[in-house]
Amino acid sequence: MNEEIVRKWYAAWENNDLGTFNALLADNFTFSSAAGDDHISKSTFKSQCWDTQVAFIQHFDLERISTGADDAFVKYLCHTKNGKAFRNVEYLRITSGKLESIECYFGAQSSFPSAVSTGQK
C-alpha cells in the first residue's frame, strides 16, 4: 500500500495534480531538506516548493522504492521541462495512508531542485 501512495505522490507532481497533492498530505505534514527547510508546514511547502517547482517537472524515473510499515525511501531521477535532470533521495513517513513528513536529500549541489527553475543546471 505504501508503494502505491509513493507512486501517486510523484504522479501528482508529473500531472500538476493539486487535488492529489492535497489529498496525500496529512494536516500535520512537514518537509525538511538541506536547502534550509526545517520541518516546514504543509502550507509553506505548497507555496515554497509546489507552487515554484511543479511547472518544471516533466517526469520522474523512480529508480528505487523501499517501503516499511510506516515509511519509504525513494531514489529518483527527475527530468525537467527545460531538458535538465536531477537526482534526489527522499525519506517519507506515512500514517493512515497520508504523507506525514518528507526529508529530501539532494544530489550534487549544482542539481538542487531550485537550481532547475533558474536554469543553473
Side-chain angles (χ1 to χ4, degrees):
M1 177 170 169
N2 285 346
E3 183 172 341
E4 180 181 332
I5 292 165
V6 167
R7 291 186 181 281
K8 285 180 182 179
W9 173 248
Y10 293 100
W13 285 84
E14 290 176 344
N15 299 318
N16 198 351
D17 182 353
L18 184 58
T20 298
F21 172 91
N22 284 323
L24 287 178
L25 295 183
D27 291 340
N28 63 340
F29 171 83
T30 61
F31 177 80
S32 299
S33 79
D37 304 306
D38 184 11
H39 296 89
I40 62 174
S41 69
K42 179 178 178 177
S43 62
T44 301
F45 177 70
K46 182 189 176 295
S47 65
Q48 289 183 3
C49 300
W50 175 271
D51 291 346
T52 63
Q53 300 299 313
V54 72
F56 294 98
I57 304 300
Q58 179 76 39
H59 175 72
F60 287 96
D61 291 331
L62 300 177
E63 298 176 332
R64 178 82 168 131
I65 301 172
S66 178
T67 61
D70 61 357
D71 62 2
F73 275 101
V74 180
K75 178 182 157 198
Y76 61 80
L77 178 64
C78 181
H79 302 273
T80 67
K81 291 180 181 174
N82 62 359
K84 307 298 181 182
F86 62 90
R87 178 174 279 116
N88 289 342
V89 172
E90 294 185 341
Y91 174 65
L92 298 82
R93 297 213 15 103
I94 303 164
T95 303
S96 302
K98 294 196 178 248
L99 298 173
E100 189 171 272
S101 67
I102 297 176
E103 296 173 28
C104 183
Y105 300 91
F106 300 121
Q109 184 174 7
S110 65
S111 62
F112 274 23
S114 58
V116 172
S117 62
T118 59
Q120 296 174 13
K121 174 74 176 116

